[in-house]
Amino acid sequence: MIRHPLVGLPSDTYENSHLLFHSLGDKYVRAVSDVAQCLPVMIPAIAEAMDLSALLDHFDGILMTGAVSNVHPPHYGSTPTADHEPYDHHRDQLTLKLIRAVLDRGMPLFCICRGFQELNVVMGGTLETEVQRGEGRLDHRSRKVEDMDVKYGPVHPIAITPGGVLEGMLGKSETLVNSLHRQAIAKVAPGLNVEARAPDGIIEAVSVKGAKAFAFGAQWHPEYKAANNPDSVKMFKAFGDAVRLHAARRVNDKLARAS
Ligand SMILES: N[C@@H](CCC(=O)NCCCC(=O)O)C(=O)O
């Protein structure tokens, strides 16, 4: 088995005392390392200094993390308002190009929360903000509690699309998920399959139509204590297996070219 193929995780950015920092949540790192059994590597949000093709030659999978920040609305043809804030332009500049490059390569791609929203935007979909204000909508926002097991605990069921990728991974027609988002998919991109919906119709999971490898996104947070959640274990193992297959094929291609 290829030992520890590399999975890239793009960073967020934030300012502290007028200095810019690049950051990555530990729960994503642990889920990739402990459950997918791959080697997580942070990709700093410096797209302007990167040759993405050369960068991706070193990876066999990409995981797009969640973030409190939102995709800048002009990226999906909308007008920015205070309800769309906060933004992370450094992240947008990297992730919206990176997702496109990963899909074009057929490299395994796992998109979580903001990453799920970025996938929809890259493929031509749109987002809506403050979804809880809509008629008949649940409140999908993060609960204001100190206990992280409650904050990232199950909040609502999702109905899983029969015969889809998620049903294939989990082997069931519904499950419970956590919920920590103010935005959601408004118009789903034409190249995405809807894999699950919340009771109020909000899209909770998608997969890329005709993808050459694992290409899946979840609006919830399967990375939270992933090793203790049977659904998360199945998702991250499927992602890890796809990454190892990509790594093995890359090594074989390199050997074939050398012979
Ligand atoms: N900002 C978007 C996406 C929400 C999201 O990714 N939340 C994650 C919070 C921090 C973490 O657990 O990584 C929205 O509000 O819809």
Side-chain angles (χ1 to χ4, degrees):
M1 178 172 80
I2 302 275
R3 289 303 302 160
H4 280 319
L6 299 188
V7 168
L9 296 95
S11 73
D12 295 313
T13 64
Y14 66 93
E15 283 205 8
N16 186 341
S17 309
H18 304 294
L19 291 174
L20 188 69
F21 291 79
H22 298 252
S23 70
L24 173 61
D26 178 69
K27 51 191 169 65
Y28 300 100
V29 170
R30 300 292 170 181
V32 168
S33 174
D34 301 347
V35 187
Q37 298 201 322
C38 298
L39 190 58
V41 175
M42 184 172 98
I43 300 173
I46 52 170
E48 69 285 354
M50 279 181 179
D51 173 341
L52 288 184
S53 182
L55 174 84
L56 288 177
D57 285 345
H58 298 280
F59 292 101
D60 289 298
I62 295 289
L63 186 134
M64 307 299 302
T65 67
V68 172
S69 68
N70 296 312
V71 179
H72 198 224
H75 287 301
Y76 50 92
S78 288
T79 304
T81 70
D83 285 346
H84 291 93
E85 296 173 2
Y87 302 124
D88 182 346
H89 296 295
H90 294 287
R91 170 162 174 157
D92 285 350
Q93 294 309 318
L94 171 62
T95 55
L96 299 181
K97 290 177 191 162
L98 186 64
I99 289 172
R100 183 71 271 162
V102 170
L103 290 172
D104 290 347
R105 273 178 180 240
M107 182 182 285
L109 176 65
F110 194 171
C111 300
I112 294 173
C113 210
R114 193 209 210 253
F116 161 91
Q117 296 166 356
E118 289 166 332
L119 174 62
N120 186 55
V121 167
V122 166
M123 296 190 69
T126 63
L127 305 177
E128 61 175 296
T129 197
E130 302 300 356
V131 291
Q132 71 282 353
R133 293 181 188 163
E135 184 67 32
R137 287 284 174 74
L138 299 174
D139 188 348
H140 290 261
R141 292 173 297 181
S142 169
R143 285 176 285 190
K144 296 190 180 353
V145 293
E146 293 299 312
D147 183 338
M148 290 298 113
D149 288 341
V150 173
K151 197 179 188 75
Y152 285 87
V155 172
H156 64 71
I158 57 171
I160 298 172
T161 303
V165 169
L166 183 58
E167 186 192 53
M169 284 195 283
L170 302 189
K172 49 186 169 179
S173 59
E174 75 166 36
T175 195
L176 288 172
V177 297
N178 55 36
S179 187
L180 298 93
H181 60 106
R182 296 167 34 219
Q183 301 202 334
I185 289 180
K187 177 174 77 75
V188 65
L192 293 176
N193 294 312
V194 173
E195 294 283 345
R197 287 184 186 268
D200 59 359
I202 290 287
I203 295 172
E204 290 280 342
V206 294
S207 64
V208 175
K209 289 176 181 172
K212 300 172 198 161
F214 184 105
F216 178 80
Q219 180 65 81
W220 73 95
H221 288 269
E223 83 287 353
Y224 182 76
K225 293 189 178 177
N228 304 340
N229 180 313
D231 288 346
S232 298
V233 167
K234 289 170 183 166
M235 295 165 77
F236 276 92
K237 278 189 178 298
F239 177 58
D241 290 346
V243 170
R244 274 178 286 282
L245 179 60
H246 185 276
R249 285 174 174 163
R250 189 163 56 83
V251 168
N252 290 339
D253 289 351
K254 198 175 283 186
L255 291 172
R257 285 196 298 274
S259 62

